[in-house]
Amino acid sequence: MSIIIKSEREIAAMRKASRVVATVLEILKTKVRPDMKTRELDVIATEEMTRLGAKPSFKGYRGFPASVCVSINDEIVHGIPGERVVKDGDIVSLDLGAVFDGFQGDAAITVVLGNASQQAKELVAATRGALDAGIDAARPGNKLGDISAAIQHHAESLGYSVVREYTGHGIGRNMHEAPQIPNFGFPGEGPVIKKGMTLALEPMLNIGDWRTRLGADKWVVLTSDGSLSAHFEHTIAITDGVPEVLTAL
Ligand code: MG
């Protein structure tokens, strides 16, 4: 599978889808609070995306039943919202995808609720920083491995591990396009980054081991050792210089 270079018109469509994702994540961030059920977040996500004229891209994707992934504490990604009640001190990852005019946007944030531990807060900040490091390396002429290595270096230099079994990805008409973008790798390796590539970068950092396990519902992915995990994601477009972060408000 080759990496698709998007036209300016296609990137404009992705900008719209991505703006919906960013807007709805911002709404969810203000709404998530202790004692609410995760299913309430899914209701809000679906309503707000619909109001903004977009469709949730996760719903029905390989049978996923919801619009938003809600992954709490040792859950890394792909948590199905439901009856679980969010508690003070939890860290809650919200991952959202929208399709608008046939194009996708995909982003995730991790929200710290109330009196979380210093350890949890630092993990979340480090994960956000790892995403920024990856974005900073996403320049034309660099290699994809430069992005991977920048994320890994940021994470590991702060003492965290990066999840290896789930990766970032190309994005466009489809939520997952070539290439896969691991959160670990070597500078100078892999395909050359070119203007017009659109990529979803999504570091997942664990306090403990990088290994994962699949939950009982066969969707949620958890840390194998029960340690905390955080996740941030942006959809970006490669330009002549600094990448455009499409899912930033
Ligand atoms: Mg993604």
PDB file of all heavy atoms in Angstrom, residues 184-207:
ATOM      1  N   PHE A 184       7.780   4.017  18.086  1.00  0.00           N
ATOM      2  CA  PHE A 184       9.183   3.700  18.361  1.00  0.00           C
ATOM      3  C   PHE A 184       9.857   3.458  17.025  1.00  0.00           C
ATOM      4  O   PHE A 184       9.203   3.057  16.062  1.00  0.00           O
ATOM      5  CB  PHE A 184       9.300   2.457  19.254  1.00  0.00           C
ATOM      6  CG  PHE A 184       8.741   1.221  18.603  1.00  0.00           C
ATOM      7  CD1 PHE A 184       9.583   0.324  17.952  1.00  0.00           C
ATOM      8  CD2 PHE A 184       7.380   0.964  18.621  1.00  0.00           C
ATOM      9  CE1 PHE A 184       9.073  -0.818  17.332  1.00  0.00           C
ATOM     10  CE2 PHE A 184       6.856  -0.172  18.008  1.00  0.00           C
ATOM     11  CZ  PHE A 184       7.706  -1.060  17.365  1.00  0.00           C
ATOM     12  N   GLY A 185      11.142   3.727  16.948  1.00  0.00           N
ATOM     13  CA  GLY A 185      11.836   3.498  15.689  1.00  0.00           C
ATOM     14  C   GLY A 185      13.152   4.238  15.658  1.00  0.00           C
ATOM     15  O   GLY A 185      13.594   4.777  16.676  1.00  0.00           O
ATOM     16  N   PHE A 186      13.749   4.256  14.471  1.00  0.00           N
ATOM     17  CA  PHE A 186      15.074   4.838  14.321  1.00  0.00           C
ATOM     18  C   PHE A 186      15.023   6.028  13.372  1.00  0.00           C
ATOM     19  O   PHE A 186      14.374   5.955  12.324  1.00  0.00           O
ATOM     20  CB  PHE A 186      16.050   3.799  13.794  1.00  0.00           C
ATOM     21  CG  PHE A 186      16.269   2.672  14.764  1.00  0.00           C
ATOM     22  CD1 PHE A 186      15.589   1.473  14.619  1.00  0.00           C
ATOM     23  CD2 PHE A 186      17.128   2.838  15.849  1.00  0.00           C
ATOM     24  CE1 PHE A 186      15.772   0.442  15.529  1.00  0.00           C
ATOM     25  CE2 PHE A 186      17.314   1.805  16.765  1.00  0.00           C
ATOM     26  CZ  PHE A 186      16.637   0.603  16.603  1.00  0.00           C
ATOM     27  N   PRO A 187      15.727   7.115  13.696  1.00  0.00           N
ATOM     28  CA  PRO A 187      15.780   8.260  12.797  1.00  0.00           C
ATOM     29  C   PRO A 187      16.355   7.834  11.447  1.00  0.00           C
ATOM     30  O   PRO A 187      17.218   6.958  11.389  1.00  0.00           O
ATOM     31  CB  PRO A 187      16.737   9.238  13.486  1.00  0.00           C
ATOM     32  CG  PRO A 187      16.895   8.751  14.882  1.00  0.00           C
ATOM     33  CD  PRO A 187      16.569   7.288  14.889  1.00  0.00           C
ATOM     34  N   GLY A 188      15.852   8.422  10.389  1.00  0.00           N
ATOM     35  CA  GLY A 188      16.410   8.161   9.068  1.00  0.00           C
ATOM     36  C   GLY A 188      15.882   6.904   8.401  1.00  0.00           C
ATOM     37  O   GLY A 188      16.259   6.603   7.269  1.00  0.00           O
ATOM     38  N   GLU A 189      14.997   6.173   9.099  1.00  0.00           N
ATOM     39  CA  GLU A 189      14.442   4.953   8.492  1.00  0.00           C
ATOM     40  C   GLU A 189      13.038   5.208   7.960  1.00  0.00           C
ATOM     41  O   GLU A 189      12.341   6.110   8.386  1.00  0.00           O
ATOM     42  CB  GLU A 189      14.395   3.824   9.533  1.00  0.00           C
ATOM     43  CG  GLU A 189      15.775   3.293   9.843  1.00  0.00           C
ATOM     44  CD  GLU A 189      15.741   1.939  10.546  1.00  0.00           C
ATOM     45  OE1 GLU A 189      14.674   1.527  11.032  1.00  0.00           O
ATOM     46  OE2 GLU A 189      16.815   1.304  10.591  1.00  0.00           O
ATOM     47  N   GLY A 190      12.635   4.365   6.999  1.00  0.00           N
ATOM     48  CA  GLY A 190      11.265   4.415   6.496  1.00  0.00           C
ATOM     49  C   GLY A 190      11.114   5.385   5.350  1.00  0.00           C
ATOM     50  O   GLY A 190      12.078   6.009   4.885  1.00  0.00           O
ATOM     51  N   PRO A 191       9.869   5.518   4.863  1.00  0.00           N
ATOM     52  CA  PRO A 191       9.592   6.378   3.715  1.00  0.00           C
ATOM     53  C   PRO A 191       9.855   7.855   4.004  1.00  0.00           C
ATOM     54  O   PRO A 191       9.776   8.288   5.151  1.00  0.00           O
ATOM     55  CB  PRO A 191       8.092   6.172   3.459  1.00  0.00           C
ATOM     56  CG  PRO A 191       7.677   5.009   4.278  1.00  0.00           C
ATOM     57  CD  PRO A 191       8.679   4.827   5.369  1.00  0.00           C
ATOM     58  N   VAL A 192      10.148   8.601   2.954  1.00  0.00           N
ATOM     59  CA  VAL A 192      10.341  10.050   3.060  1.00  0.00           C
ATOM     60  C   VAL A 192       8.987  10.722   3.268  1.00  0.00           C
ATOM     61  O   VAL A 192       7.997  10.360   2.636  1.00  0.00           O
ATOM     62  CB  VAL A 192      11.007  10.598   1.781  1.00  0.00           C
ATOM     63  CG1 VAL A 192      11.140  12.121   1.849  1.00  0.00           C
ATOM     64  CG2 VAL A 192      12.368   9.959   1.571  1.00  0.00           C
ATOM     65  N   ILE A 193       8.956  11.682   4.160  1.00  0.00           N
ATOM     66  CA  ILE A 193       7.735  12.453   4.415  1.00  0.00           C
ATOM     67  C   ILE A 193       7.601  13.517   3.321  1.00  0.00           C
ATOM     68  O   ILE A 193       8.577  14.220   3.020  1.00  0.00           O
ATOM     69  CB  ILE A 193       7.808  13.097   5.817  1.00  0.00           C
ATOM     70  CG1 ILE A 193       7.900  12.009   6.890  1.00  0.00           C
ATOM     71  CG2 ILE A 193       6.618  14.014   6.060  1.00  0.00           C
ATOM     72  CD1 ILE A 193       8.285  12.531   8.268  1.00  0.00           C
ATOM     73  N   LYS A 194       6.399  13.609   2.741  1.00  0.00           N
ATOM     74  CA  LYS A 194       6.193  14.549   1.632  1.00  0.00           C
ATOM     75  C   LYS A 194       4.982  15.440   1.897  1.00  0.00           C
ATOM     76  O   LYS A 194       4.013  15.018   2.542  1.00  0.00           O
ATOM     77  CB  LYS A 194       5.959  13.780   0.333  1.00  0.00           C
ATOM     78  CG  LYS A 194       7.173  13.028  -0.133  1.00  0.00           C
ATOM     79  CD  LYS A 194       6.885  12.272  -1.419  1.00  0.00           C
ATOM     80  CE  LYS A 194       8.128  11.495  -1.839  1.00  0.00           C
ATOM     81  NZ  LYS A 194       7.808  10.392  -2.746  1.00  0.00           N
ATOM     82  N   LYS A 195       5.043  16.633   1.340  1.00  0.00           N
ATOM     83  CA  LYS A 195       3.915  17.566   1.407  1.00  0.00           C
ATOM     84  C   LYS A 195       2.663  16.888   0.866  1.00  0.00           C
ATOM     85  O   LYS A 195       2.719  16.222  -0.184  1.00  0.00           O
ATOM     86  CB  LYS A 195       4.234  18.819   0.596  1.00  0.00           C
ATOM     87  CG  LYS A 195       3.143  19.861   0.680  1.00  0.00           C
ATOM     88  CD  LYS A 195       3.474  21.091  -0.140  1.00  0.00           C
ATOM     89  CE  LYS A 195       2.323  22.077  -0.062  1.00  0.00           C
ATOM     90  NZ  LYS A 195       2.575  23.279  -0.872  1.00  0.00           N
ATOM     91  N   GLY A 196       1.545  17.060   1.571  1.00  0.00           N
ATOM     92  CA  GLY A 196       0.285  16.471   1.129  1.00  0.00           C
ATOM     93  C   GLY A 196      -0.032  15.142   1.801  1.00  0.00           C
ATOM     94  O   GLY A 196      -1.140  14.630   1.661  1.00  0.00           O
ATOM     95  N   MET A 197       0.927  14.591   2.537  1.00  0.00           N
ATOM     96  CA  MET A 197       0.601  13.409   3.344  1.00  0.00           C
ATOM     97  C   MET A 197      -0.247  13.858   4.534  1.00  0.00           C
ATOM     98  O   MET A 197      -0.013  14.942   5.094  1.00  0.00           O
ATOM     99  CB  MET A 197       1.872  12.730   3.865  1.00  0.00           C
ATOM    100  CG  MET A 197       2.643  11.982   2.799  1.00  0.00           C
ATOM    101  SD  MET A 197       4.107  11.197   3.560  1.00  0.00           S
ATOM    102  CE  MET A 197       4.773  10.361   2.115  1.00  0.00           C
ATOM    103  N   THR A 198      -1.209  13.042   4.891  1.00  0.00           N
ATOM    104  CA  THR A 198      -2.028  13.337   6.068  1.00  0.00           C
ATOM    105  C   THR A 198      -1.929  12.147   7.012  1.00  0.00           C
ATOM    106  O   THR A 198      -2.179  11.010   6.628  1.00  0.00           O
ATOM    107  CB  THR A 198      -3.486  13.615   5.674  1.00  0.00           C
ATOM    108  OG1 THR A 198      -3.926  12.621   4.739  1.00  0.00           O
ATOM    109  CG2 THR A 198      -3.622  14.990   5.019  1.00  0.00           C
ATOM    110  N   LEU A 199      -1.541  12.447   8.239  1.00  0.00           N
ATOM    111  CA  LEU A 199      -1.146  11.408   9.192  1.00  0.00           C
ATOM    112  C   LEU A 199      -1.842  11.610  10.528  1.00  0.00           C
ATOM    113  O   LEU A 199      -2.046  12.742  10.960  1.00  0.00           O
ATOM    114  CB  LEU A 199       0.369  11.462   9.418  1.00  0.00           C
ATOM    115  CG  LEU A 199       1.265  11.471   8.177  1.00  0.00           C
ATOM    116  CD1 LEU A 199       2.722  11.751   8.576  1.00  0.00           C
ATOM    117  CD2 LEU A 199       1.164  10.150   7.420  1.00  0.00           C
ATOM    118  N   ALA A 200      -2.190  10.503  11.174  1.00  0.00           N
ATOM    119  CA  ALA A 200      -2.685  10.548  12.551  1.00  0.00           C
ATOM    120  C   ALA A 200      -1.582  10.011  13.451  1.00  0.00           C
ATOM    121  O   ALA A 200      -1.247   8.828  13.383  1.00  0.00           O
ATOM    122  CB  ALA A 200      -3.957   9.717  12.691  1.00  0.00           C
ATOM    123  N   LEU A 201      -1.000  10.907  14.249  1.00  0.00           N
ATOM    124  CA  LEU A 201       0.049  10.517  15.200  1.00  0.00           C
ATOM    125  C   LEU A 201      -0.613  10.281  16.545  1.00  0.00           C
ATOM    126  O   LEU A 201      -1.420  11.105  16.982  1.00  0.00           O
ATOM    127  CB  LEU A 201       1.116  11.614  15.323  1.00  0.00           C
ATOM    128  CG  LEU A 201       1.731  12.136  14.023  1.00  0.00           C
ATOM    129  CD1 LEU A 201       2.866  13.118  14.342  1.00  0.00           C
ATOM    130  CD2 LEU A 201       2.227  10.995  13.152  1.00  0.00           C
ATOM    131  N   GLU A 202      -0.283   9.152  17.195  1.00  0.00           N
ATOM    132  CA  GLU A 202      -0.983   8.865  18.447  1.00  0.00           C
ATOM    133  C   GLU A 202      -0.146   8.075  19.451  1.00  0.00           C
ATOM    134  O   GLU A 202      -0.336   6.875  19.604  1.00  0.00           O
ATOM    135  CB  GLU A 202      -2.328   8.184  18.197  1.00  0.00           C
ATOM    136  CG  GLU A 202      -2.350   7.008  17.269  1.00  0.00           C
ATOM    137  CD  GLU A 202      -3.770   6.417  17.161  1.00  0.00           C
ATOM    138  OE1 GLU A 202      -4.476   6.340  18.165  1.00  0.00           O
ATOM    139  OE2 GLU A 202      -4.151   6.030  16.048  1.00  0.00           O
ATOM    140  N   PRO A 203       0.758   8.782  20.148  1.00  0.00           N
ATOM    141  CA  PRO A 203       1.517   8.096  21.190  1.00  0.00           C
ATOM    142  C   PRO A 203       0.633   7.596  22.329  1.00  0.00           C
ATOM    143  O   PRO A 203      -0.305   8.282  22.743  1.00  0.00           O
ATOM    144  CB  PRO A 203       2.489   9.170  21.688  1.00  0.00           C
ATOM    145  CG  PRO A 203       1.938  10.455  21.236  1.00  0.00           C
ATOM    146  CD  PRO A 203       1.148  10.188  20.001  1.00  0.00           C
ATOM    147  N   MET A 204       0.947   6.373  22.764  1.00  0.00           N
ATOM    148  CA  MET A 204       0.324   5.771  23.955  1.00  0.00           C
ATOM    149  C   MET A 204       1.470   5.433  24.893  1.00  0.00           C
ATOM    150  O   MET A 204       2.347   4.649  24.534  1.00  0.00           O
ATOM    151  CB  MET A 204      -0.413   4.484  23.567  1.00  0.00           C
ATOM    152  CG  MET A 204      -1.623   4.723  22.684  1.00  0.00           C
ATOM    153  SD  MET A 204      -1.937   3.294  21.580  1.00  0.00           S
ATOM    154  CE  MET A 204      -1.454   4.007  19.998  1.00  0.00           C
ATOM    155  N   LEU A 205       1.498   6.082  26.066  1.00  0.00           N
ATOM    156  CA  LEU A 205       2.605   5.896  27.009  1.00  0.00           C
ATOM    157  C   LEU A 205       2.123   5.191  28.261  1.00  0.00           C
ATOM    158  O   LEU A 205       1.047   5.512  28.778  1.00  0.00           O
ATOM    159  CB  LEU A 205       3.193   7.258  27.403  1.00  0.00           C
ATOM    160  CG  LEU A 205       4.360   7.792  26.547  1.00  0.00           C
ATOM    161  CD1 LEU A 205       3.964   7.932  25.089  1.00  0.00           C
ATOM    162  CD2 LEU A 205       4.843   9.116  27.089  1.00  0.00           C
ATOM    163  N   ASN A 206       2.949   4.257  28.745  1.00  0.00           N
ATOM    164  CA  ASN A 206       2.643   3.534  29.983  1.00  0.00           C
ATOM    165  C   ASN A 206       3.672   3.888  31.051  1.00  0.00           C
ATOM    166  O   ASN A 206       4.847   4.099  30.740  1.00  0.00           O
ATOM    167  CB  ASN A 206       2.701   2.020  29.762  1.00  0.00           C
ATOM    168  CG  ASN A 206       1.714   1.537  28.704  1.00  0.00           C
ATOM    169  OD1 ASN A 206       0.815   2.268  28.315  1.00  0.00           O
ATOM    170  ND2 ASN A 206       1.887   0.300  28.272  1.00  0.00           N
ATOM    171  N   ILE A 207       3.224   3.862  32.300  1.00  0.00           N
ATOM    172  CA  ILE A 207       4.169   4.053  33.400  1.00  0.00           C
ATOM    173  C   ILE A 207       5.049   2.816  33.549  1.00  0.00           C
ATOM    174  O   ILE A 207       6.231   2.913  33.837  1.00  0.00           O
ATOM    175  CB  ILE A 207       3.410   4.381  34.714  1.00  0.00           C
ATOM    176  CG1 ILE A 207       2.915   5.835  34.665  1.00  0.00           C
ATOM    177  CG2 ILE A 207       4.285   4.121  35.935  1.00  0.00           C
ATOM    178  CD1 ILE A 207       2.239   6.322  35.921  1.00  0.00           C
TER     179      ILE A 207
END
